Each structure stands twice: as C-alpha cells, then as structure tokens.
Amino acid sequence: EAIDPGGQPFRTQRFAASLETLRTEDWKLTFHRGHEWGEMYDLRNDPDEFVNLWSDAGYRARRQELTGQLVEALLGAMEPLAERRFDY
C-alpha cells in the first residue's frame, strides 16, 4: 500500500491532480496543491527521480529558491487585468 509523506494511504485520499512544476536544467520542483508536501529532485545526480529531496533540511534553501522561481513564472503567465471601462 502506497503511503504519502503525510502518512496517509493514497487509496483513501481523494484529490484532483492539481500540480505546479518548475523544471530547470538541474532541478525539478513540484507542488501538490492542497498538501503540505511536494517533490524536489536533483536531476544532475538523480536523473531518474528516485530521491525526493522535498523534506531534506539540507536542501531547504534550494527549495525556497526554486519556489520563488516557480511563483515568478506563474505570475508571469497570468492574464493581465482587463482595462477598467466604468467608474463605479
């Protein structure tokens, strides 16, 4: 039985596959919306993504850096606000 990092069996959970991922030449970071955990892989040393570094305290700064890059990418992809047509 598969267990998520929060200790819950996957078969008893219901969640939509709502993911946000940033991939660089050396790293891959994935957020699972609605969960406090995700995935982070060092693609240079672990190209097959076997070792999830998300919770590894030694990689906290890297996770924060990649998270900032992901936020910037998501904000850059958003539609701009429509032009205001009426004064209310």
Side-chain angles (χ1 to χ4, degrees), residues 5-79:
Q8 298 297 315
F10 281 116
R11 66 177 171 76
T12 63
Q13 293 186 41
R14 290 185 180 180
F15 58 91
S18 185
L19 309 172
E20 297 294 348
T21 298
L22 172 76
R23 185 180 178 109
T24 69
E25 186 175 331
D26 296 329
W27 294 92
K28 180 178 175 184
L29 178 83
T30 300
F31 276 93
H32 298 263
R33 288 189 190 174
H35 296 276
E36 295 181 13
W37 53 272
E39 298 172 65
M40 186 175 79
Y41 299 100
D42 177 350
L43 299 175
R44 185 171 301 269
N45 295 308
D46 180 21
D48 296 319
E49 302 176 15
F50 288 120
V51 181
N52 184 356
L53 300 170
W54 178 271
S55 298
D56 188 316
Y59 290 90
R60 179 178 285 166
R62 176 69 63 186
R63 190 175 92 196
Q64 290 174 335
E65 175 190 336
L66 294 170
T67 297
Q69 290 178 28
L70 178 58
V71 168
E72 289 294 321
L74 291 172
L75 290 173
M78 291 177 64
E79 293 281 332

